[in-house]
Each structure stands twice: as structure tokens, then as C-alpha cells.
Amino acid sequence: MKLGKRLQHIAALADESYTHIWDCCCDHGYLGQALLHELHQPQVHFVDIVPELINSLELHLQQKAPRTGWHTACMDTGELPLDQMPGKHLVIIAGVGGDLIQEFATRLHQQQPDADVDYLLCPVYHQYAVRQQLIALGFRLKQEELVKDKRHFYEILKVCPGLPQNLHLPAVSPTGQRIWKADTEMQTRIAREYLSRTLAHYRRISRGNHKPVEHIIAAYADVRVETAEG
């Protein structure tokens, strides 16, 4: 199964160190199916709140997937039973808006603050708000990437709760740090285009007087794209 660039980058941040991987808001389950074939150790859970999607996916998995190693659940992502399943968890939430990601991450963390879990998040919008919420929750950053898939830009954040064993990791940045450090000419162009579009977006909002965003504009105006040559 060939994944798009966004899902390829998300899949690359998962590995066999996890006991359980949760593909949340999974839609047709493309990401989880790829992980099921690439990774042999973790149990892959496909989660969506839409019964028709889960029923259709279960039938497909019964025909195409390995006989073991996967589970489907029609449930609210904010109610994942992490503390009921021993081992290390990776919760992937992608393909939904930043408002839902904030809600799900907050509820899961508040209900199960000591769970051994990493979160792999890829909001389709409201990235700044997602980062603010992660900062408020005290989350720490493991990895972050900026991906351009066709005409769309995506920030991918791999974070974990600020438990004692994670405090050596950096805090989440309001605007990102590693995503602005480019190793190639292509990545430099992507980062500069994304920064330009982000600033233009918030400046349009400011002109429309919908809500105060001057502090966000100021934050992104301070961002500098760094290249490998400096």
C-alpha cells in the first residue's frame, strides 16, 4: 500500500518499541495497515467514532490483514483505555483539525496522566493553538517535522507527557524549532514557503478583526529558516 508523503513521514516516526499503536480517527485505516505490515511487534488498534467506517474496515482487515496483531474499536478517541493495557503506547491522531487534537490530547492526559505514552500529532489546521495547548499541558518534544504533500503543508509533532523520565527533552516551541532547520535546498524552500503562508494567513485574520492575533504574527515574524550552510 503506497502512502502519501504525509502518512509516510508519520509512519516513519513509529517503531517496534511500542506495545500498542493507536491509529485514531483512522478513516480507511491506510496508516495503521501500513504499520501492521512494516512493524511486527506492536498491536495496532484502529479507532474511529463512525460505525460504518469501522465495520467496513474490519471486513477489509479480515480479508487482507494478518490474522493477529490488530483490533478495531468504534469509540471516542478521548476515551482510549491506555491504563488498562500494559506496555508503551503510541497514539496517532492525524487528518483532523487542531481543535479536536487539543480536546483528545487534553482528555487522555488528564484522565491517565501517568500512562506510558507518546503522541504523534498532525493537525490539518490550528497548529499554533495545538502547540499552545501542548505547552500548557507540560508536554515535551521528541521530534517534529514539516512536510509538504501536494499543495498542503503539515506539521508533525511527536510529544510525550512531562513525566520525570521525560524532563531531559526540550519543551514544545510555540512556533516550532526543528521544522525551520533545513538540511536540503528543497526543505529550505518548503520551510520558507510555509512561513510566508502562515504569516499571510494571520495577517488576513488581523485585517478582518475576527480576533486578536498580533502576538501570533509577532512570534512567526521572529522565525528564521536555517539552512545546512548557515
Side-chain angles (χ1 to χ4, degrees), residues 6 9-10 12-13 119-123 127-128 130-132 134-135 139-148 154-160 169-183 187 191 194 220 223-224 226:
R6 175 180 66 98
H9 280 259
I10 294 173
L13 294 177
Y119 294 89
L120 192 45
L121 310 175
C122 183
Q127 291 86 350
Y128 185 86
V130 169
R131 287 176 174 275
Q132 290 297 310
L134 295 175
I135 292 169
F139 276 40
R140 314 298 283 193
L141 179 69
K142 286 198 161 182
Q143 288 175 273
E144 64 178 13
E145 293 188 10
L146 175 63
V147 178
K148 185 179 183 182
Y154 301 95
E155 292 183 32
I156 302 172
L157 293 163
K158 188 175 186 180
V159 297
C160 56
L169 296 169
V172 176
S173 164
T175 56
Q177 291 182 331
R178 298 176 189 172
I179 62 173
W180 308 117
K181 296 180 180 179
D183 296 323
Q187 196 62 27
Y194 180 59
Y220 282 106
V223 169
R224 296 292 179 268
E226 299 179 23

Side-chain angles (χ1 to χ4, degrees), residues 68-128:
T68 60
W70 60 270
H71 310 271
T72 61
C74 183
M75 67 182 303
D76 180 347
T77 294
E79 301 291 335
L80 300 183
L82 305 180
D83 56 358
Q84 297 176 23
M85 298 184 180
K88 187 171 183 60
H89 297 261
L90 177 65
V91 175
I92 305 175
I93 313 176
V96 297
D99 49 352
L100 280 178
I101 285 182
Q102 291 175 74
E103 177 194 337
F104 292 148
T106 300
R107 287 167 57 198
L108 286 169
H109 179 61
Q110 291 178 343
Q111 293 166 12
Q112 305 167 86
D114 298 321
D116 189 5
V117 56
D118 289 342
Y119 294 89
L120 192 45
L121 310 175
C122 183
V124 295
Y125 52 81
H126 293 165
Q127 291 86 350
Y128 185 86

